Amino acid sequence: NNAPFRDPHVTNIEAMRMGLTIIREGAGDDVFFSGCAATQNMRTYAGTIGLVDSMRVGPDFNHDGEGIRSGPLRGSRMYFMNGRVWWNDPDPSKVRTSTAGSSGDNSITGAVSLDQARLTTSWVSLSGQFFLLSDWLPYLPEARLEVLRRTLAHHDATARPVDYFDNALANTWLVTDARDGVRRDVIGVFNFYNQPLAIDHDCAWMGLDPAKTYHAFDFWANRPL
């Protein structure tokens, strides 16, 4: 908007950046400073770069089909910023049940199914983005706590959506770790739509050596395929 500023010679973005700089300096370098939604307005991108540790890149997580896709859609589009400019916060990590809301009132607050809980947390974990959780932990049943135990750890490797230019919402991710001289690759496939997912990617297309043998593993069943 065109609200008046103390200094009439600064732009809206300059005023925002000055304000964030004051907060950043006041908080100190040992405080994790998380921003929210600057990426939803293209004009505000530059005003936040270098001043926040993470940035909310997606809208609120809603528990219908669109809500489950909203965070991964934007986190995939901006994957190249994650861990470089800031940590992307896509806001899709939810494991709550109908009796485990976001506070201690035991209310029904946007329950997700076990499959949905596994889908969203797996995606955040494998894509290496900011794992932010607002569920009320004391009310979570053991099965949902187990979902968190298996997905909260950060792999700190390179993750990219290999079908970035082929689908509006990438469904295939490749995680590569070669830091100790031995390359390890993990492929994750995600179905965000309530219908069968058909994928036909060969190893060369995904950047893997087609002459090698690869093994498939069912992460949630904890067994090879």
Side-chain angles (χ1 to χ4, degrees), residues 175-199:
V175 177
T176 301
D177 188 352
R179 289 169 296 179
D180 58 0
V182 178
R183 175 168 168 165
R184 300 177 181 87
D185 296 287
V186 176
I187 296 170
V189 179
F190 302 90
N191 185 0
F192 292 100
Y193 298 91
N194 189 26
Q195 57 189 10
L197 177 66
I199 293 180

Side-chain angles (χ1 to χ4, degrees), residues 59-70 91 112:
D60 289 345
F61 182 105
N62 297 311
H63 298 80
D64 54 15
E66 288 301 322
I68 285 177
R69 291 189 285 270
S70 62
D91 193 46
V112 296

